[in-house]
Amino acid sequence: MPRPARHHHGHLESIIYVVRGKARMRWGEHLQFTAEAGPGDFIFIPPMCRTRRSMPSPDQILECVLVRSDGEAIAIKPRH
């Protein structure tokens, strides 16, 4: 699985609810912060926050629910 590029979702807020498995999020201007979320955990991503998501274990299934503050599908990849 290719590694997702760092990106942000413009003016949108995002909330991820982990149903099964684990998710790893990196965030910050230089992706300097890292956290993992497991079943029952929520991840809040504020507007303009640069992120990169990954799965700690590639052989584990991740099921999650993603909700954004608008119906737009915005993903902005910075040039640097």
Side-chain angles (χ1 to χ4, degrees):
M1 170 187 279
R3 189 169 100 173
R6 70 182 176 154
H7 65 282
H8 65 80
H9 295 280
H11 66 279
L12 303 180
E13 295 177 329
S14 301
I15 298 175
I16 300 168
Y17 175 74
V18 179
V19 177
R20 182 170 72 150
K22 286 192 177 182
R24 179 178 294 142
M25 292 295 293
R26 295 178 56 100
W27 73 94
E29 184 65 28
H30 303 286
L31 302 176
Q32 67 270 32
F33 305 109
T34 304
E36 287 189 9
D41 291 338
F42 287 89
I43 301 170
F44 171 73
I45 304 167
M48 305 303 291
C49 182
R50 290 184 182 185
T51 63
R52 177 181 293 148
R53 70 190 179 291
S54 64
M55 294 171 47
S57 175
D59 60 337
Q60 187 178 48
I61 293 172
L62 171 63
E63 291 180 3
C64 58
V65 177
L66 170 63
V67 178
R68 293 216 172 94
S69 59
D70 194 335
E72 291 184 75
I74 296 174
I76 301 167
K77 296 177 184 173
R79 293 178 190 250
H80 58 291

